[in-house]
Amino acid sequence: MAMNDLGIVRRNIVRADRAAVQQLARFGVATIHEAMGRVGLMKTYMRPAYSGARLCGTAVTVLLQPGDNWMLHVAAEQLQEGDVVVAACTTDNDDGFFGDLLATSFRARGAKGLVIDGGVRDVKDLAAMQFPVFSRAISAKGTVKATLGSVNVAVVCAGALVQPGDVVIADDDGVVVVPAAIAQQAADAAQAREANEADKRKRLAAGELGLDMYNMRDPLAKAGLRYID
Amino acid sequence: MAMNDLGIVRRNIVRADRAAVQQLARFGVATIHEAMGRVGLMKTYMRPAYSGARLCGTAVTVLLQPGDNWMLHVAAEQLQEGDVVVAACTTDNDDGFFGDLLATSFRARGAKGLVIDGGVRDVKDLAAMQFPVFSRAISAKGTVKATLGSVNVAVVCAGALVQPGDVVIADDDGVVVVPAAIAQQAADAAQAREANEADKRKRLAAGELGLDMYNMRDPLAKAGLRYID
Amino acid sequence: MAMNDLGIVRRNIVRADRAAVQQLARFGVATIHEAMGRVGLMKTYMRPAYSGARLCGTAVTVLLQPGDNWMLHVAAEQLQEGDVVVAACTTDNDDGFFGDLLATSFRARGAKGLVIDGGVRDVKDLAAMQFPVFSRAISAKGTVKATLGSVNVAVVCAGALVQPGDVVIADDDGVVVVPAAIAQQAADAAQAREANEADKRKRLAAGELGLDMYNMRDPLAKAGLRYID
Amino acid sequence: MAMNDLGIVRRNIVRADRAAVQQLARFGVATIHEAMGRVGLMKTYMRPAYSGARLCGTAVTVLLQPGDNWMLHVAAEQLQEGDVVVAACTTDNDDGFFGDLLATSFRARGAKGLVIDGGVRDVKDLAAMQFPVFSRAISAKGTVKATLGSVNVAVVCAGALVQPGDVVIADDDGVVVVPAAIAQQAADAAQAREANEADKRKRLAAGELGLDMYNMRDPLAKAGLRYID
Amino acid sequence: MAMNDLGIVRRNIVRADRAAVQQLARFGVATIHEAMGRVGLMKTYMRPAYSGARLCGTAVTVLLQPGDNWMLHVAAEQLQEGDVVVAACTTDNDDGFFGDLLATSFRARGAKGLVIDGGVRDVKDLAAMQFPVFSRAISAKGTVKATLGSVNVAVVCAGALVQPGDVVIADDDGVVVVPAAIAQQAADAAQAREANEADKRKRLAAGELGLDMYNMRDPLAKAGLRYID
Amino acid sequence: MAMNDLGIVRRNIVRADRAAVQQLARFGVATIHEAMGRVGLMKTYMRPAYSGARLCGTAVTVLLQPGDNWMLHVAAEQLQEGDVVVAACTTDNDDGFFGDLLATSFRARGAKGLVIDGGVRDVKDLAAMQFPVFSRAISAKGTVKATLGSVNVAVVCAGALVQPGDVVIADDDGVVVVPAAIAQQAADAAQAREANEADKRKRLAAGELGLDMYNMRDPLAKAGLRYID
């Protein structure tokens, strides 16, 4: 076993089932995260580079060095239609690793978007291109190409473990990772959850209380809740 | 006197005078905050969940536990037309305590919006519903219903003391709290201030300097300001 | 030599060449920052007060005291057509130093916008006026007029050194400072860079890899990059 | 009713019962906070200025303006033996409001220490004097004396509501506020809690599991915990 | 495959080789991190609860819910001599999950210390016990026992992936994770590195420059470094 | 004029007068900062790597790239007896740029310590060596040697402008920069200030109020302060 995964590009990765990915694309991040049992969410500092950005695809992972975007160029070659680049960094770094040129390249290679625990720039162009990007920062500061990282190794990105081929979904509510092996299961659970919510929404809109709909009054009383006039 | 206010729901609260609330609704947060003498402002990390959100209403307060939104369901029953839910938490916590289902319920019960020192989710739906929410974070992470907090007790929310029935106003500039007892006084002062500003704006637009309009030259000179060529 | 620069207003400053400023106004912050060799960028916490804000002009600098905007009024008198007010503070402070009244005054005096390492308010009005503001915070909290700072001294604003008369450019990607003496040189370099990027964009859009376009394969191999199947 | 509490010094305040304060002084902050039902704790950013600092006393409250320590001098006159100065600020501000001169003055007037949601300086001298200080920051930056705040009004300090006369206890674990009216009740509850912990500590030291001592196995099983080999 | 790992306790885990762990215990975190190729480091916000704390052991992992330390009690039963408890949380939370009672229990069960991406309390007692703890915060706020997490599943703790049985080393410089499978390899590399440093230290102490010792002058010149008089 | 200062080493710099530096070494940072009129202070996040660290010397400045400490080796050659290395970075970066080997080298070349807007490691060794270091972070993460920065150019370090040769003083209260040209003037002012404080301290210790000693009662009354019983 190798000591570490730096300086490696894995070419053959197992991507999550395409049909499952397409199903997952229909649901919001909050729904999928709930459906999975509340695991796999990235930190809340990950925000869309432009309002309304949204993506769903299979992860091509990248491990970056601070102030260095060399590996994003290496990753471009590994992209297939439907992929999302997920870039972690060996340290907290807000530099602008990514801009409109790389977005143009990634799109040309089939990428659906980028999730990066670092900074990005050219956000006006990204919005104009409608190339979805979720990042920890926006920064005009460019990067060098001097130090090796890796492509398609397991990474921790914004607090979430991402394996190459996992499904990554991002929208206004955040970014969630679905392991490739349970993509279909998660899609089904999300479907079931959404169906269930429609009925609840109707009842709540009619004025029914969650207290009654979810049968909370007894447990609240047992927990000792007191009403005071 | 009770040792603490946990596990309590106060049903009868004295809301600020409705007419005064309606008057306050006409002014911005910055104007009201100035009119009150610069007190009652929440921390600047409280931001609208969607651009253009704005609210004014009487506070139904909630004290939450981290990762637990049980008390928001309890609060729903206490809502009256024109209320705003103001939710504090016993610790800093960014979880998504609130989403479109609770928004549907709160609206059905008459609520004008939510101010929460915690996270919210389904922000696209909240925007579509135009249900105004001001929060410290956006997070897809859901919450449990396991531990008691309280409803309609005094809370410290984002650095501001809020009593049940106080007026809460929020817009792009932040969130301000007006104690119920001085709601009319604050509305009058805001009115006076706004009238005064219209004239100033006109003079400044014509090129008059604040230095002259506010008679600052003498005090500046006395304070020792030196002009150098 | 004076011990410090507090309590001073410098009336005569040398502004960057107007033609160079106009040229720089055509480029984005990321392009200019790259063209200058990646220096002069402010911290990434500086954000536009409203979406789409953008400015380019010559700096009239201000050194503020916390919670005190007296010097902004003093600065107004020193403004000329095409200036941008750049305000630093002697400490980190998010108070709302600036709102629609000062914006009205600054515009009437010829200002193109404001860059402030502090808070601002009335952001809805600023958006309506289309008066561009870049700040560290939004806060409704007003300020006093009690303590001297300075106008047109060298300041460190959000981590960048700014001399009176320097060119300041801000857009969605951040804020960059171009020393007055190299404004033309920076504009020329930005022009060259932008021309160069158009060609690259076309090739990347056609699917060519950065790996090939930038001749990265050899250096990557020499650095030890390994491909694994 | 006055619009706000700025510019006020309340001379006569009701301090918590001295005997209760002395009892509370024997317990740690964590014990008292638990005994009170987990309310009244300040934010965790409040840290001792030197290692081992610890205080317990009755609050003389101060509301400061950013960068301005005038009111600390006003507060000195209101101090009685056994008081602790609790200073809040109208905004987040890390300036050094307090140093060895004020510490000398406060001690001469009977103060037991300082809790300040702001910065302090001369920390080496404070340690040498063994004058306990808990603050949000350490900063050499001095302050002016130009703008009114208040003394002995209700303040929100580091997220906790403090009324003049309340008991404030601080140690390595943080800062907790006990309302004057329940000081004796809190002291008794802390005493009971501490007695109870001694026995638990002994059993745990002997290797007994919390799972058994607290009868957690059944509730864990009911909640669905699964053991896997 | 299960949808998620919540509500699980894995009883049989493979711990890193004991001899390798003992070897690793002799090196500092910085040395081990370098020896591994600069991977496996936790975020820098993880700090010792008391000065001089240091630990090395095999990980028993815990996934906590915010404000809830139930799983720490469950973990106690799984401890063996030489283990370190590594606790992650499903969200950022600074509550005091751990204090002197749990420390007493953990020690009685053989634990070498605790690494927790959350808060701890009773830090004076922890120092007196010399029970090493590394945490993101210190907080007197206690926690409930209401919601399931897991024990001995893979966790992301402070940005680092930790598998049960991995070696965790912590000292003044931070916390590093060594996968169990490469513990011996890492120990050997650390040994080699340390031997190598002793010689360098001597040469540097004698005034030799790193420029010469590491042969940097040529690469610097090639990179374009210019010396100016 | 060059476009930027990257890739430059200035060999001949004018250091502040040695006698003035020695005088400044006798005063604390807070005293010197006050004496200078409250300018030149670094951000409060700069903290000593070990308790009691303290330094005073003439600045050899370094501009680092993120995750890259090449220029610290270049700087070592430029050191003279009595210098302090002041290292800024082109972006916010907490990596461990500096450890005991570089400390050994810097000391051998005459350096009095290091001030770095970045991370450091081997802090236990630094304490043992009593080599004073002030930094923004502690991190075990090492750095590469790949990208040029500069030595002895003007830098902005932790918010303060530092020119090569300026005097830098650091202690428990923070870090302050005294421009070389006013070093003697600042030392004299610090001396005067300290003499003045001794008398004040005595009077305050005797119970005299700052209100009286500083003649604050009249200005407070004029500002509108009201006393309430």
Side-chain angles (χ1 to χ4, degrees), chain B residues 1-4 6 35-39 43 92 156 159 161 181-182 185-186 189, chain D residues 1-4 6 35-39 43 92 156 159-161 181-182 185-186 189:
Chain B
M1 183 184 180
M3 188 82 129
N4 71 62
L6 279 175
M36 287 179 67
R38 294 185 190 155
V39 293
K43 299 278 181 192
D92 289 346
V156 173
L161 177 64
I182 61 165
Q185 195 179 348
Chain D
M1 182 182 182
M3 189 80 130
N4 71 62
L6 278 175
M36 287 179 68
R38 294 184 189 153
V39 295
K43 299 279 182 192
D92 289 345
V156 173
L161 177 65
I182 60 164
Q185 196 180 348

mmCIF file of all heavy atoms in Angstrom, chain B residues 1-4 6 35-39 43 92 156 159 161 181-182 185-186 189, chain D residues 1-4 6 35-39 43 92 156 159-161 181-182 185-186 189:
data_model
loop_
_atom_site.group_PDB
_atom_site.id
_atom_site.type_symbol
_atom_site.label_atom_id
_atom_site.label_comp_id
_atom_site.label_asym_id
_atom_site.label_seq_id
_atom_site.Cartn_x
_atom_site.Cartn_y
_atom_site.Cartn_z
ATOM 1 N N MET B 1 -39.875 32.285 42.082
ATOM 2 C CA MET B 1 -39.406 32.481 40.694
ATOM 3 C C MET B 1 -38.750 31.201 40.182
ATOM 4 O O MET B 1 -37.958 30.559 40.868
ATOM 5 C CB MET B 1 -38.350 33.613 40.675
ATOM 6 C CG MET B 1 -37.846 33.933 39.269
ATOM 7 S SD MET B 1 -36.540 35.177 39.331
ATOM 8 C CE MET B 1 -36.160 35.331 37.571
ATOM 9 N N ALA B 2 -39.073 30.859 38.967
ATOM 10 C CA ALA B 2 -38.533 29.622 38.405
ATOM 11 C C ALA B 2 -37.052 29.787 38.092
ATOM 12 O O ALA B 2 -36.584 30.888 37.812
ATOM 13 C CB ALA B 2 -39.291 29.241 37.137
ATOM 14 N N MET B 3 -36.348 28.672 38.156
ATOM 15 C CA MET B 3 -34.915 28.698 37.911
ATOM 16 C C MET B 3 -34.601 29.044 36.461
ATOM 17 O O MET B 3 -33.659 29.740 36.165
ATOM 18 C CB MET B 3 -34.335 27.326 38.219
ATOM 19 C CG MET B 3 -32.857 27.338 38.180
ATOM 20 S SD MET B 3 -32.215 27.955 39.726
ATOM 21 C CE MET B 3 -31.053 26.647 40.081
ATOM 22 N N ASN B 4 -35.400 28.516 35.575
ATOM 23 C CA ASN B 4 -35.166 28.898 34.181
ATOM 24 C C ASN B 4 -36.442 28.778 33.381
ATOM 25 O O ASN B 4 -37.471 28.332 33.882
ATOM 26 C CB ASN B 4 -34.053 28.050 33.567
ATOM 27 C CG ASN B 4 -34.487 26.630 33.330
ATOM 28 O OD1 ASN B 4 -35.415 26.363 32.567
ATOM 29 N ND2 ASN B 4 -33.826 25.696 34.008
ATOM 30 N N LEU B 6 -36.913 27.065 30.529
ATOM 31 C CA LEU B 6 -36.956 25.966 29.560
ATOM 32 C C LEU B 6 -38.193 25.105 29.785
ATOM 33 O O LEU B 6 -38.573 24.818 30.916
ATOM 34 C CB LEU B 6 -35.691 25.106 29.668
ATOM 35 C CG LEU B 6 -34.482 25.671 28.933
ATOM 36 C CD1 LEU B 6 -33.255 24.835 29.180
ATOM 37 C CD2 LEU B 6 -34.761 25.744 27.433
ATOM 38 N N ALA B 35 -33.914 56.167 14.692
ATOM 39 C CA ALA B 35 -34.993 56.865 15.415
ATOM 40 C C ALA B 35 -35.036 56.421 16.872
ATOM 41 O O ALA B 35 -35.403 57.201 17.759
ATOM 42 C CB ALA B 35 -36.337 56.598 14.728
ATOM 43 N N MET B 36 -34.674 55.178 17.146
ATOM 44 C CA MET B 36 -34.704 54.652 18.513
ATOM 45 C C MET B 36 -33.457 55.019 19.306
ATOM 46 O O MET B 36 -33.337 54.643 20.470
ATOM 47 C CB MET B 36 -34.818 53.131 18.476
ATOM 48 C CG MET B 36 -36.181 52.645 18.053
ATOM 49 S SD MET B 36 -36.135 50.833 18.035
ATOM 50 C CE MET B 36 -35.931 50.520 19.803
ATOM 51 N N GLY B 37 -32.505 55.679 18.665
ATOM 52 C CA GLY B 37 -31.278 56.011 19.379
ATOM 53 C C GLY B 37 -30.213 54.941 19.255
ATOM 54 O O GLY B 37 -29.348 54.819 20.116
ATOM 55 N N ARG B 38 -30.296 54.176 18.180
ATOM 56 C CA ARG B 38 -29.262 53.161 17.891
ATOM 57 C C ARG B 38 -29.187 52.039 18.923
ATOM 58 O O ARG B 38 -28.110 51.732 19.428
ATOM 59 C CB ARG B 38 -27.891 53.819 17.747
ATOM 60 C CG ARG B 38 -27.838 54.702 16.536
ATOM 61 C CD ARG B 38 -26.455 55.263 16.307
ATOM 62 N NE ARG B 38 -26.540 56.285 15.266
ATOM 63 C CZ ARG B 38 -25.692 57.288 15.134
ATOM 64 N NH1 ARG B 38 -24.675 57.393 15.966
ATOM 65 N NH2 ARG B 38 -25.835 58.146 14.158
ATOM 66 N N VAL B 39 -30.325 51.473 19.222
ATOM 67 C CA VAL B 39 -30.345 50.262 20.053
ATOM 68 C C VAL B 39 -31.257 49.224 19.385
ATOM 69 O O VAL B 39 -32.073 49.560 18.529
ATOM 70 C CB VAL B 39 -30.874 50.555 21.477
ATOM 71 C CG1 VAL B 39 -29.901 51.457 22.235
ATOM 72 C CG2 VAL B 39 -32.257 51.175 21.415
ATOM 73 N N LYS B 43 -27.134 41.209 15.148
ATOM 74 C CA LYS B 43 -25.813 41.124 14.536
ATOM 75 C C LYS B 43 -25.944 41.138 13.004
ATOM 76 O O LYS B 43 -26.950 40.690 12.449
ATOM 77 C CB LYS B 43 -25.128 39.812 14.938
ATOM 78 C CG LYS B 43 -24.906 39.661 16.419
ATOM 79 C CD LYS B 43 -23.654 40.393 16.873
ATOM 80 C CE LYS B 43 -23.442 40.197 18.357
ATOM 81 N NZ LYS B 43 -22.424 41.103 18.902
ATOM 82 N N ASP B 92 -24.619 28.332 19.251
ATOM 83 C CA ASP B 92 -24.477 28.638 17.825
ATOM 84 C C ASP B 92 -24.700 27.368 17.015
ATOM 85 O O ASP B 92 -24.009 26.372 17.213
ATOM 86 C CB ASP B 92 -23.069 29.172 17.531
ATOM 87 C CG ASP B 92 -22.867 30.569 18.080
ATOM 88 O OD1 ASP B 92 -23.859 31.231 18.439
ATOM 89 O OD2 ASP B 92 -21.706 31.006 18.160
ATOM 90 N N VAL B 156 -32.460 36.058 23.727
ATOM 91 C CA VAL B 156 -31.425 36.849 23.057
ATOM 92 C C VAL B 156 -31.218 36.213 21.688
ATOM 93 O O VAL B 156 -30.759 35.084 21.582
ATOM 94 C CB VAL B 156 -30.107 36.860 23.845
ATOM 95 C CG1 VAL B 156 -29.015 37.553 23.034
ATOM 96 C CG2 VAL B 156 -30.295 37.578 25.186
ATOM 97 N N GLY B 159 -27.797 38.556 19.334
ATOM 98 C CA GLY B 159 -27.277 39.681 20.103
ATOM 99 C C GLY B 159 -28.303 40.687 20.575
ATOM 100 O O GLY B 159 -27.965 41.631 21.283
ATOM 101 N N LEU B 161 -32.013 41.490 22.583
ATOM 102 C CA LEU B 161 -33.040 40.988 23.493
ATOM 103 C C LEU B 161 -34.404 41.151 22.831
ATOM 104 O O LEU B 161 -34.746 42.233 22.366
ATOM 105 C CB LEU B 161 -32.994 41.785 24.807
ATOM 106 C CG LEU B 161 -34.060 41.443 25.847
ATOM 107 C CD1 LEU B 161 -33.912 40.014 26.366
ATOM 108 C CD2 LEU B 161 -33.998 42.430 27.010
ATOM 109 N N ALA B 181 -43.719 48.481 24.203
ATOM 110 C CA ALA B 181 -44.176 49.677 24.931
ATOM 111 C C ALA B 181 -43.823 50.981 24.224
ATOM 112 O O ALA B 181 -44.425 52.014 24.493
ATOM 113 C CB ALA B 181 -43.587 49.668 26.345
ATOM 114 N N ILE B 182 -42.853 50.950 23.341
ATOM 115 C CA ILE B 182 -42.469 52.204 22.688
ATOM 116 C C ILE B 182 -42.679 52.149 21.176
ATOM 117 O O ILE B 182 -42.086 52.934 20.428
ATOM 118 C CB ILE B 182 -40.998 52.589 23.000
ATOM 119 C CG1 ILE B 182 -40.029 51.507 22.500
ATOM 120 C CG2 ILE B 182 -40.802 52.871 24.480
ATOM 121 C CD1 ILE B 182 -38.580 51.985 22.453
ATOM 122 N N GLN B 185 -44.064 55.442 19.795
ATOM 123 C CA GLN B 185 -43.032 56.471 19.927
ATOM 124 C C GLN B 185 -41.949 56.283 18.848
ATOM 125 O O GLN B 185 -41.494 57.254 18.218
ATOM 126 C CB GLN B 185 -42.434 56.306 21.338
ATOM 127 C CG GLN B 185 -41.619 57.445 21.850
ATOM 128 C CD GLN B 185 -41.105 57.152 23.277
ATOM 129 O OE1 GLN B 185 -41.548 56.196 23.926
ATOM 130 N NE2 GLN B 185 -40.181 57.977 23.743
ATOM 131 N N ALA B 186 -41.570 55.044 18.631
ATOM 132 C CA ALA B 186 -40.555 54.766 17.619
ATOM 133 C C ALA B 186 -41.074 55.077 16.221
ATOM 134 O O ALA B 186 -40.347 55.614 15.377
ATOM 135 C CB ALA B 186 -40.111 53.298 17.711
ATOM 136 N N ALA B 189 -41.009 58.788 15.765
ATOM 137 C CA ALA B 189 -39.639 59.274 15.586
ATOM 138 C C ALA B 189 -39.104 58.913 14.202
ATOM 139 O O ALA B 189 -38.387 59.702 13.578
ATOM 140 C CB ALA B 189 -38.739 58.698 16.675
ATOM 141 N N MET D 1 -42.185 56.059 29.357
ATOM 142 C CA MET D 1 -41.013 55.185 29.169
ATOM 143 C C MET D 1 -40.045 55.806 28.174
ATOM 144 O O MET D 1 -40.439 56.286 27.124
ATOM 145 C CB MET D 1 -41.467 53.819 28.629
ATOM 146 C CG MET D 1 -40.309 52.841 28.449
ATOM 147 S SD MET D 1 -40.899 51.283 27.751
ATOM 148 C CE MET D 1 -39.358 50.359 27.733
ATOM 149 N N ALA D 2 -38.784 55.754 28.545
ATOM 150 C CA ALA D 2 -37.781 56.373 27.677
ATOM 151 C C ALA D 2 -37.560 55.528 26.427
ATOM 152 O O ALA D 2 -37.757 54.314 26.435
ATOM 153 C CB ALA D 2 -36.472 56.548 28.426
ATOM 154 N N MET D 3 -37.175 56.173 25.357
ATOM 155 C CA MET D 3 -36.968 55.488 24.099
ATOM 156 C C MET D 3 -35.775 54.552 24.163
ATOM 157 O O MET D 3 -35.780 53.487 23.615
ATOM 158 C CB MET D 3 -36.715 56.541 23.023
ATOM 159 C CG MET D 3 -36.693 55.951 21.659
ATOM 160 S SD MET D 3 -38.377 55.709 21.071
ATOM 161 C CE MET D 3 -38.222 56.496 19.465
ATOM 162 N N ASN D 4 -34.727 54.979 24.839
ATOM 163 C CA ASN D 4 -33.609 54.058 24.964
ATOM 164 C C ASN D 4 -32.815 54.365 26.224
ATOM 165 O O ASN D 4 -33.093 55.329 26.923
ATOM 166 C CB ASN D 4 -32.706 54.087 23.732
ATOM 167 C CG ASN D 4 -31.918 55.357 23.638
ATOM 168 O OD1 ASN D 4 -31.123 55.658 24.511
ATOM 169 N ND2 ASN D 4 -32.153 56.134 22.597
ATOM 170 N N LEU D 6 -29.512 54.931 26.463
ATOM 171 C CA LEU D 6 -28.194 55.520 26.243
ATOM 172 C C LEU D 6 -28.047 56.816 27.033
ATOM 173 O O LEU D 6 -28.977 57.608 27.122
ATOM 174 C CB LEU D 6 -27.955 55.781 24.751
ATOM 175 C CG LEU D 6 -27.501 54.541 23.972
ATOM 176 C CD1 LEU D 6 -27.413 54.852 22.494
ATOM 177 C CD2 LEU D 6 -26.157 54.044 24.491
ATOM 178 N N ALA D 35 -26.598 23.439 36.855
ATOM 179 C CA ALA D 35 -27.529 23.555 37.981
ATOM 180 C C ALA D 35 -28.696 24.483 37.637
ATOM 181 O O ALA D 35 -29.815 24.300 38.107
ATOM 182 C CB ALA D 35 -26.785 24.063 39.213
ATOM 183 N N MET D 36 -28.428 25.477 36.804
ATOM 184 C CA MET D 36 -29.474 26.440 36.416
ATOM 185 C C MET D 36 -30.357 25.917 35.284
ATOM 186 O O MET D 36 -31.287 26.606 34.858
ATOM 187 C CB MET D 36 -28.832 27.745 35.958
ATOM 188 C CG MET D 36 -28.249 28.555 37.091
ATOM 189 S SD MET D 36 -27.502 30.034 36.383
ATOM 190 C CE MET D 36 -28.997 30.886 35.817
ATOM 191 N N GLY D 37 -30.039 24.763 34.757
ATOM 192 C CA GLY D 37 -30.833 24.242 33.643
ATOM 193 C C GLY D 37 -30.301 24.681 32.298
ATOM 194 O O GLY D 37 -31.033 24.762 31.320
ATOM 195 N N ARG D 38 -28.999 24.949 32.255
ATOM 196 C CA ARG D 38 -28.336 25.288 30.993
ATOM 197 C C ARG D 38 -28.834 26.573 30.352
ATOM 198 O O ARG D 38 -29.177 26.609 29.165
ATOM 199 C CB ARG D 38 -28.463 24.139 29.983
ATOM 200 C CG ARG D 38 -27.715 22.913 30.446
ATOM 201 C CD ARG D 38 -27.744 21.816 29.425
ATOM 202 N NE ARG D 38 -27.187 20.609 30.027
ATOM 203 C CZ ARG D 38 -27.486 19.380 29.660
ATOM 204 N NH1 ARG D 38 -28.327 19.184 28.671
ATOM 205 N NH2 ARG D 38 -26.945 18.351 30.241
ATOM 206 N N VAL D 39 -28.880 27.622 31.134
ATOM 207 C CA VAL D 39 -29.177 28.941 30.584
ATOM 208 C C VAL D 39 -28.156 29.930 31.127
ATOM 209 O O VAL D 39 -27.488 29.656 32.123
ATOM 210 C CB VAL D 39 -30.596 29.426 30.946
ATOM 211 C CG1 VAL D 39 -31.649 28.534 30.303
ATOM 212 C CG2 VAL D 39 -30.777 29.452 32.465
ATOM 213 N N LYS D 43 -21.075 33.480 25.093
ATOM 214 C CA LYS D 43 -20.463 32.812 23.940
ATOM 215 C C LYS D 43 -19.080 32.278 24.302
ATOM 216 O O LYS D 43 -18.374 32.867 25.129
ATOM 217 C CB LYS D 43 -20.320 33.797 22.772
ATOM 218 C CG LYS D 43 -21.628 34.372 22.264
ATOM 219 C CD LYS D 43 -22.340 33.419 21.331
ATOM 220 C CE LYS D 43 -23.631 34.043 20.811
ATOM 221 N NZ LYS D 43 -24.492 33.070 20.138
ATOM 222 N N ASP D 92 -19.702 44.807 17.422
ATOM 223 C CA ASP D 92 -18.515 43.978 17.631
ATOM 224 C C ASP D 92 -17.273 44.841 17.492
ATOM 225 O O ASP D 92 -17.066 45.480 16.458
ATOM 226 C CB ASP D 92 -18.462 42.846 16.590
ATOM 227 C CG ASP D 92 -19.529 41.792 16.826
ATOM 228 O OD1 ASP D 92 -20.122 41.766 17.923
ATOM 229 O OD2 ASP D 92 -19.778 40.999 15.908
ATOM 230 N N VAL D 156 -26.874 43.094 26.729
ATOM 231 C CA VAL D 156 -26.587 41.770 26.182
ATOM 232 C C VAL D 156 -25.075 41.714 25.967
ATOM 233 O O VAL D 156 -24.530 42.452 25.150
ATOM 234 C CB VAL D 156 -27.324 41.518 24.854
ATOM 235 C CG1 VAL D 156 -26.855 40.191 24.244
ATOM 236 C CG2 VAL D 156 -28.831 41.480 25.082
ATOM 237 N N GLY D 159 -23.840 37.497 24.070
ATOM 238 C CA GLY D 159 -24.996 36.626 23.884
ATOM 239 C C GLY D 159 -25.828 36.360 25.117
ATOM 240 O O GLY D 159 -26.861 35.696 25.028
ATOM 241 N N ALA D 160 -25.402 36.889 26.270
ATOM 242 C CA ALA D 160 -26.160 36.663 27.502
ATOM 243 C C ALA D 160 -26.742 37.964 28.030
ATOM 244 O O ALA D 160 -26.057 38.989 28.048
ATOM 245 C CB ALA D 160 -25.270 36.025 28.565
ATOM 246 N N LEU D 161 -27.997 37.930 28.498
ATOM 247 C CA LEU D 161 -28.616 39.099 29.111
ATOM 248 C C LEU D 161 -28.077 39.268 30.531
ATOM 249 O O LEU D 161 -28.084 38.324 31.316
ATOM 250 C CB LEU D 161 -30.137 38.900 29.149
ATOM 251 C CG LEU D 161 -30.947 39.996 29.835
ATOM 252 C CD1 LEU D 161 -30.854 41.316 29.082
ATOM 253 C CD2 LEU D 161 -32.407 39.562 29.968
ATOM 254 N N ALA D 181 -32.228 37.306 41.540
ATOM 255 C CA ALA D 181 -33.366 36.758 42.280
ATOM 256 C C ALA D 181 -33.242 35.263 42.539
ATOM 257 O O ALA D 181 -33.911 34.729 43.428
ATOM 258 C CB ALA D 181 -34.664 37.043 41.507
ATOM 259 N N ILE D 182 -32.408 34.561 41.774
ATOM 260 C CA ILE D 182 -32.314 33.117 41.975
ATOM 261 C C ILE D 182 -30.910 32.701 42.394
ATOM 262 O O ILE D 182 -30.533 31.528 42.257
ATOM 263 C CB ILE D 182 -32.751 32.327 40.731
ATOM 264 C CG1 ILE D 182 -31.871 32.676 39.519
ATOM 265 C CG2 ILE D 182 -34.227 32.554 40.409
ATOM 266 C CD1 ILE D 182 -32.008 31.659 38.384
ATOM 267 N N GLN D 185 -30.956 29.973 45.079
ATOM 268 C CA GLN D 185 -31.499 28.746 44.495
ATOM 269 C C GLN D 185 -30.445 28.077 43.612
ATOM 270 O O GLN D 185 -30.253 26.856 43.640
ATOM 271 C CB GLN D 185 -32.720 29.162 43.670
ATOM 272 C CG GLN D 185 -33.657 28.074 43.269
ATOM 273 C CD GLN D 185 -34.829 28.628 42.462
ATOM 274 O OE1 GLN D 185 -35.036 29.842 42.395
ATOM 275 N NE2 GLN D 185 -35.591 27.728 41.838
ATOM 276 N N ALA D 186 -29.730 28.893 42.841
ATOM 277 C CA ALA D 186 -28.694 28.349 41.962
ATOM 278 C C ALA D 186 -27.534 27.784 42.769
ATOM 279 O O ALA D 186 -26.984 26.723 42.436
ATOM 280 C CB ALA D 186 -28.197 29.429 40.998
ATOM 281 N N ALA D 189 -28.590 24.449 44.137
ATOM 282 C CA ALA D 189 -28.629 23.429 43.089
ATOM 283 C C ALA D 189 -27.217 23.016 42.681
ATOM 284 O O ALA D 189 -26.956 21.839 42.399
ATOM 285 C CB ALA D 189 -29.402 23.965 41.872
#
